[in-house]
Amino acid sequence: MYDAVVVGARCAGSSTALLLARKGYKVLLVDRSAFPSDLAFSTHYIHQSGIARLKRWGILDRVVASNCPPITGFYFDFGSFVLSGSPPPADGAYAPRRKVLDAILINAAIASGVEVRTRFSVDELLWDDGRVCGIHGRGNGGSAVVEKAQIVIGADGMRSTVARLVGATEYNVKPPLQGPYFSYWSGVQMKGFEFYPGSYRGAFGWMTNDGLALIGVGFAAKDHLTVRSDIEGNYLHAIGEDAPDLAERMQNGHREERFVGGVVPNYFRKPFGMGWALVGDAGYLKDPCTAEGITDAFHSAELVADAIDSGLSGHQSLDQALEAYEQERNRTAFPLYEFTCQLATLAPPTPEMQQLLGALNGNQEQTNKFFGLFAQTVSLPEFFAPENMQKIYGRDQHTGA
Ligand SMILES: Cc1cc2nc3c(=O)[nH]c(=O)nc-3n(C[C@H](O)[C@H](O)[C@H](O)COP(=O)(O)OP(=O)(O)OC[C@H]3O[C@@H](n4cnc5c(N)ncnc54)[C@H](O)[C@@H]3O)c2cc1C
């Protein structure tokens, strides 16, 4: 009998498992993948606030040692002007390949005392009087296995088996809005997190492990059918038109891997019930255009591990603790979710946004703060507060005074 079984061993699952093990709990972590392995479809930029968590957990030095350079700045090129700078605090972000990051996380979980089974697929849950009390799964050899636990945590991504089996309700659902096609290039140096907005598309890129640059183009969901008919042609055409400076650097580079791409939906799921909880993409998913999924998975891992500790230690009831987890997750996630979904339309900026971007041009302090929205070191309510808007525009937006 385990205190917790965690299903899914990547950024949300390994983090949750290691945090629970470090609090003294007996944890089983399972994943149907073998490690190290890349996730089929994900870029991997980790913002400053996510990196701060890796540092706190004592794992950052392993990412740094993986031949992955720090990324200290943002570079948003709007054609007529460029906004560039570093969010406060100006520590580096990193974008380790998932085959690197997820292996580091899983090894850290093992070192923290977590029992790990890879190539292990969960297909059913064990129930007792309406309460989840374990898992049914199959290991590498294919033999059926039952494991019991006080709580089962679904960290099994957007197609979560756990969420489906418990019937977790979805809310704030939005359809797919955009999605990238990306690949890895040698011989191209990036200036930071580069972004080149176009009309219903946007080119982006940054450095990752082993001197490779990840370079992608996000296309509006409505255009994906057309884009798929000639991915390379549409990708290079968009970069050539919207990011000529990047296109020039790519002339001297070489594409090293195949293109990967597609779209994802946007949703929140109720992340707890009797004997179960959800964390990471299993619990909520938003468009990847702001690259927040890993950073958010780390945050939710801390929140859910604290809640489960509070419940299992008898500090408060598990249900109460997990309800507080949902509230706190949503309090921080909702504003960025709406902001992300707005950006993910890839529509030309609204007049208000154009006015804001124009006002930021030449104001380094506020530009850095703006980038802090993406890095999650500045909150949306703080940035858009009337006092801050007054600082940016030099007058009160409502009274004009
Ligand atoms: C195109 C794209 C680009 C992205 N770019 C970024 C980015 O730059 N930065 C960023 O922070 N985020 C990005 N994201 C989001 C990020 O990939 C996710 O938020 C993150 O992977 C969520 O981690 P997770 O641990 O919750 O789930 P996942 O990483 O999906 O891991 C789930 C794990 O569960 C396992 N699993 C599933 N079902 C079972 C089962 N039944 N039994 C056993 N194991 C199971 C799977 O094998 C998998 O290993 C991007 C996403 C997309 C789609």
Side-chain angles (χ1 to χ4, degrees):
M1 172 88 171
Y2 294 91
D3 294 314
V5 171
V6 183
V7 184
R10 294 192 185 267
C11 32
S14 285
S15 315
T16 304
L18 85 83
L19 292 170
L20 284 171
R22 287 178 183 181
K23 290 175 190 292
Y25 294 101
K26 189 177 174 201
V27 183
L28 173 64
L29 174 65
V30 301
D31 199 302
R32 63 180 167 211
S33 306
F35 292 86
S37 58
D38 256 331
L39 202 59
F41 171 42
S42 173
T43 65
H44 34 78
Y45 190 94
I46 311 177
H47 289 285
Q48 273 79 353
S49 54
I51 292 297
R53 290 198 163 84
L54 288 179
K55 192 170 180 181
R56 196 150 71 225
W57 303 342
I59 298 173
L60 180 58
D61 52 352
R62 283 169 243 179
V63 173
V64 175
S66 75
N67 197 14
C68 185
I71 303 167
T72 49
F74 286 82
Y75 182 92
F76 285 13
D77 186 339
F78 296 93
S80 51
F81 65 95
V82 172
L83 291 182
S84 67
S86 302
D91 294 346
Y94 290 82
R97 295 289 292 257
R98 290 300 295 268
K99 61 185 174 191
V100 173
L101 174 70
D102 295 342
I104 289 173
L105 288 169
I106 213 168
N107 286 332
I110 293 168
S112 303
V114 173
E115 182 183 333
V116 174
R117 293 184 208 162
T118 56
R119 297 176 192 265
F120 183 102
S121 190
V122 171
D123 42 35
E124 289 295 340
L125 296 174
L126 201 61
W127 295 85
D128 179 21
D129 199 18
R131 185 172 195 96
V132 174
C133 60
I135 54 161
H136 288 265
R138 273 174 205 285
N140 198 10
S143 52
V145 178
V146 170
E147 296 292 358
K148 293 189 171 179
Q150 297 197 64
I151 185 159
V152 172
I153 302 157
D156 47 350
M158 71 176 108
R159 290 182 196 85
S160 169
T161 304
V162 176
R164 176 175 53 79
L165 292 172
V166 298
T169 45
E170 295 193 345
Y171 49 97
N172 256 29
V173 180
K174 297 181 202 282
L177 298 163
Q178 70 87 44
Y181 277 95
F182 63 92
S183 186
Y184 296 90
W185 290 71
S186 59
V188 183
Q189 276 304 316
M190 305 298 290
K191 303 172 189 173
F193 182 136
E194 293 184 32
F195 178 54
Y196 301 83
S199 182
Y200 296 100
R201 65 187 187 204
F204 63 91
W206 51 74
M207 297 307 292
T208 181
N209 293 91
D210 306 324
L212 293 178
L214 181 154
I215 300 173
V217 179
F219 295 97
K222 66 180 173 57
D223 296 330
H224 265 244
L225 208 58
T226 321
V227 171
R228 267 204 296 277
S229 65
D230 176 12
I231 295 169
E232 181 164 36
N234 284 296
Y235 169 95
L236 291 175
H237 177 75
I239 295 172
E241 278 204 341
D242 302 337
D245 159 46
L246 173 59
E248 202 177 305
R249 274 175 282 153
M250 289 166 73
Q251 298 279 338
N252 303 319
H254 183 257
R255 181 163 65 81
E256 299 291 343
E257 298 185 25
R258 69 190 174 93
F259 285 105
V260 181
V263 295
V264 296
N266 304 274
Y267 59 75
F268 282 75
R269 289 189 182 129
K270 183 165 180 59
F272 74 99
M274 297 223 306
W276 61 272
L278 301 174
V279 66
D281 281 5
Y284 92 99
L285 179 68
K286 66 176 169 293
D287 188 278
C289 69
T290 46
E292 307 287 353
I294 301 168
T295 297
D296 283 352
F298 292 164
H299 184 211
S300 292
E302 276 190 349
L303 293 177
V304 82
D306 283 348
I308 290 169
D309 179 33
S310 188
L312 294 186
S313 64
H315 205 69
Q316 59 182 324
S317 82
L318 192 52
D319 276 5
Q320 268 177 340
L322 287 170
E323 191 169 344
Y325 156 58
E326 179 178 15
Q327 280 168 9
E328 183 57 16
R329 179 197 70 170
N330 291 359
R331 188 187 66 78
T332 47
F334 264 144
L336 198 54
Y337 181 81
E338 295 298 336
F339 183 66
T340 297
C341 289
Q342 175 57 40
L343 294 180
T345 62
L346 300 178
T350 58
E352 293 77 28
M353 184 54 88
Q354 274 178 22
Q355 196 189 2
L356 174 63
L357 295 171
L360 291 177
N361 188 15
N363 183 339
Q364 195 58 56
E365 189 190 339
Q366 290 293 340
T367 298
N368 289 347
K369 251 181 149 174
F370 176 71
F371 289 132
L373 299 178
F374 298 85
Q376 297 200 37
T377 56
V378 176
S379 75
L380 279 141
E382 180 190 342
F383 183 79
F384 286 103
E387 314 81 71
N388 198 49
M389 288 296 107
Q390 198 171 344
K391 280 187 198 158
I392 292 173
Y393 293 111
R395 62 191 164 85
D396 190 307
Q397 280 291 284
H398 300 293
T399 63

